[in-house]
Amino acid sequence: SVLAVGAWLKNAACLVLDGRAHWSPVHGDLSDPAACAALEVSVQALLAQADAAGAPVQAIAHDLHPDFFSTRLAIATADVRGVPAIGVQHHHAHLAAVMAEHGITGPVVGLALDGVGLGVDGSPWGGELLWLHGAQWQRLGHLQPLALPGGDRAAREPSRMAASALHALGRADEIAPRLGLAVGEAVAAGVRQMLDKGLNCPKTSSAGRWFDAAAGALGLCHHQRDEAQAAIALEQAAARALSLRPDQPPLAGAVQHADGRIDLRPVIAQLFDATDADVAAAGFHLALADALAVALITAARQRGIRTAV
């Protein structure tokens, strides 16, 4: 019997008992104290269910991030129960869940694309190419990391990710003139200074932050009021262009590095000077999709694997 306590967003807990999954209600995001309290109640209920079945929980699984409420609860509960608390890497969990859903037992290569999840190197991941076989896994590649100026704040302000992309392109002098009108000259100058000094600018391979950077570069979204607002605006722009021209080509320039990095900097560079935001948004989506497909197929062929998740 294993209890899993979920991560941070859209949290839910799950008990595996006699080979079956027993879910708690969805508690919501653990930034809400009420969601944390609800998770505590669910954990106790699931532990009691396992005890009543005569199969007490033998381990508690949690996300690697040490600051998540769910992680702290898992460790504290495991300590009280005298069972191991097992940290699971976020993107390994995403892909292992697909394997479990489809009953896949052999080796696979997989793509996990999201906003953020702590990597084993301590940095935020989110655009990952992994090899998995049973409980074993290995990181084969990832999207080129971008700096997060202001940390989590950059996830709420796509203009900061656009500034990060400009800085990564060696075009830092363009940050203030391009973004000053949208966010204020003082803010733009401050973000540029943070990037220059590497101050509070952790790097992330997150696919979500690349979408934010693209949306910011095209002026589609500078401040997000809702989750994935920038990515949705970018997708809607791309859909408009593709409805008019389904055979539109991808933007050129994505680079597959020998160390597994998928570098989209030459692609996003073209967005800052685009004359048609919809066409550019579609070109970006197609370029990203092609680059990910090439990386996935190459990894599968190198390892003799015929299943991708």
Side-chain angles (χ1 to χ4, degrees):
S1 302
V2 177
L3 175 66
V5 296
W8 183 261
L9 297 175
K10 309 176 188 72
N11 175 275
C14 183
L15 170 68
V16 174
L17 180 65
D18 293 329
R20 294 177 63 94
H22 302 267
W23 287 93
S24 76
V26 175
H27 308 118
D29 298 350
L30 296 185
S31 55
D32 181 354
C36 297
L39 173 59
E40 286 187 292
V41 171
S42 290
V43 163
Q44 292 305 315
L46 292 171
L47 288 169
Q49 181 179 344
D51 291 342
V57 164
Q58 297 163 291
I60 301 178
H62 60 85
D63 191 274
L64 282 187
H65 202 301
D67 295 330
F68 286 177
F69 176 82
S70 53
T71 298
R72 296 178 177 182
L73 178 62
I75 293 171
T77 305
D79 186 52
V80 169
R81 286 253 165 175
V83 299
I86 300 173
V88 182
Q89 199 281 322
H90 192 93
H91 302 96
H92 175 203
H94 274 311
L95 297 179
V98 180
M99 295 176 69
E101 179 183 355
H102 293 275
I104 300 168
T105 56
V108 304
V109 288
L111 288 169
L113 308 167
D114 65 1
V116 68
L118 189 69
V120 293
D121 60 0
S123 69
W125 292 3
E128 310 306 315
L129 172 61
L130 306 182
W131 165 87
L132 299 90
H133 190 188
Q136 306 302 311
W137 69 280
Q138 182 181 351
R139 190 190 200 195
L140 303 181
H142 55 85
L143 294 179
Q144 170 73 31
L146 282 177
L148 288 166
D152 286 344
R153 186 171 177 181
R156 299 189 295 272
E157 300 178 15
S159 58
R160 288 177 179 253
M161 294 312 305
S164 178
L166 283 170
H167 199 272
L169 288 164
R171 295 166 60 176
D173 288 343
E174 298 178 34
I175 292 174
R178 284 185 178 273
L179 302 176
L181 283 176
V183 301
E185 291 184 7
V187 172
V191 170
R192 192 258 168 93
Q193 191 173 39
M194 292 171 70
L195 288 163
D196 283 344
K197 296 180 177 179
L199 182 65
N200 193 19
C201 287
K203 292 198 170 182
T204 180
S205 56
S206 165
R209 300 297 79 78
W210 271 100
F211 278 111
D212 290 348
L218 291 171
L220 297 173
C221 180
H222 293 293
H223 296 273
Q224 301 199 78
R225 294 181 301 277
D226 302 301
E227 183 186 355
Q229 181 178 343
I232 291 168
L234 190 71
E235 180 186 6
Q236 290 172 338
R240 287 192 295 267
L242 292 170
S243 69
L244 297 173
R245 186 184 170 188
D247 62 344
Q248 181 183 323
L251 292 174
V255 180
Q256 307 272 346
H257 290 282
D259 63 1
R261 281 180 297 122
I262 303 165
D263 194 348
L264 300 174
R265 286 177 294 181
V267 176
I268 207 166
Q270 300 166 67
L271 304 190
F272 289 100
D273 303 309
T275 55
D276 188 321
D278 289 2
V279 170
F284 174 81
H285 275 85
L286 295 168
L288 173 61
D290 282 357
L292 292 171
V294 168
L296 190 69
I297 292 167
T298 301
R301 286 178 173 164
Q302 288 174 343
R303 292 174 174 261
I305 291 172
R306 298 195 58 80
T307 304
V309 301

